[in-house]
Amino acid sequence: KGGVERVERCRVETGTMLTRDAAVCGFGYRGSVFKLTLRGRVVITAVELPLSRTPKPRLDDGDVAREVEGRGGVSLRNVREAIAAIRHAKLPDPKVAGNAGSFFKNPVVGASEAARLLAAWPDMPHYPAPDGGVKLAAGWLIDRAGWKGRSEGRVGVHERQALVLVNRGGATGAEVIAFARRIQRSVAERFGVEISTEVNIL
């Protein structure tokens, strides 16, 4: 089994606790009612997940499969350590460079829009999305727009992962947001694709 079964949340205004089934949470690709209609109105305090006593690791990601094999084969410990190692290699340590992980979501475009983009950039990564859409790699778009590893003032794009914005030291929230908006405009001008933020901006 997989996925969230129930979510316990606290309503900010009243302090009321409420538990709801996942069916009413609107879970989707990096989104839910907690990022939309309930954004800023509730705090999630607990999540119920169904767990199995029979491990069924998913190794469909090539990097994970290779890392697990290099650690001696499939075991819960090897899978956990492999994923931790991959994340450590790709993402900056917040203790070293302030960041919020992936700052942007992968955009989904229609089939005709994807065909237009692929005609111009045949090497553009793309994946099937629900309802006939096509998911693009925001990191690739940001990189090709010239932002990977680039800094402006105290904010920059990580050298190894273009989805991650880093605080080089002392940057304010306003500086980070302004920098992110410049990246969004740049990607839209170059590719005609809008990328949205994954982080909640308060």
Side-chain angles (χ1 to χ4, degrees):
K1 296 178 76 176
V4 174
E5 285 197 341
R6 277 173 289 280
V7 175
E8 178 188 86
R9 60 186 189 247
C10 175
R11 189 168 289 278
V12 173
E13 291 181 1
T14 63
T16 305
M17 301 297 294
L18 196 62
T19 300
R20 286 286 183 259
D21 288 343
V24 299
C25 294
F27 289 123
Y29 171 65
R30 298 192 179 186
S32 68
V33 294
F34 305 110
K35 283 192 171 184
L36 299 170
T37 56
L38 295 180
R39 184 173 179 169
R41 296 169 54 196
V42 300
V43 174
I44 297 173
T45 54
V47 177
E48 290 184 27
L49 300 166
L51 301 177
S52 171
R53 292 182 182 275
T54 305
K56 294 179 182 176
R58 293 181 58 181
L59 301 176
D60 44 345
D61 181 286
D63 289 341
V64 174
R66 282 188 294 275
E67 189 75 27
V68 168
E69 186 63 30
R71 291 172 183 273
V74 179
S75 72
L76 289 179
R77 173 175 288 194
N78 287 348
V79 171
R80 177 178 57 83
E81 290 180 353
I83 292 172
I86 290 168
R87 291 186 65 81
H88 180 72
K90 291 184 176 181
L91 299 174
D93 185 344
K95 296 174 185 173
V96 177
N99 71 91
S102 293
F103 201 90
F104 300 100
K105 290 194 286 190
N106 291 325
V108 175
V109 299
S112 60
E113 178 69 0
R116 176 190 72 80
L117 291 164
L118 288 166
W121 293 278
D123 62 332
M124 176 180 286
H126 59 288
Y127 314 92
D131 302 320
V134 178
K135 182 165 62 176
L136 307 178
W140 187 92
L141 297 169
I142 294 165
D143 184 4
R144 289 303 180 93
W147 289 92
K148 189 174 182 180
R150 180 171 156 189
S151 294
E152 290 184 1
R154 300 182 289 187
V155 187
V157 177
H158 192 252
E159 293 78 11
R160 295 192 307 271
Q161 176 50 268
L163 288 178
V164 177
L165 302 189
V166 291
N167 186 332
R168 302 292 187 194
T172 65
E175 288 175 277
V176 173
I177 293 169
F179 184 72
R181 298 294 183 237
R182 286 194 290 278
I183 293 172
Q184 290 173 303
R185 285 194 298 273
S186 175
V187 168
E189 288 167 5
R190 172 125 195 228
F191 299 102
V193 175
E194 301 288 335
I195 57 172
S196 58
T197 61
E198 180 173 352
V199 298
N200 284 328
I201 297 174
L202 304 176

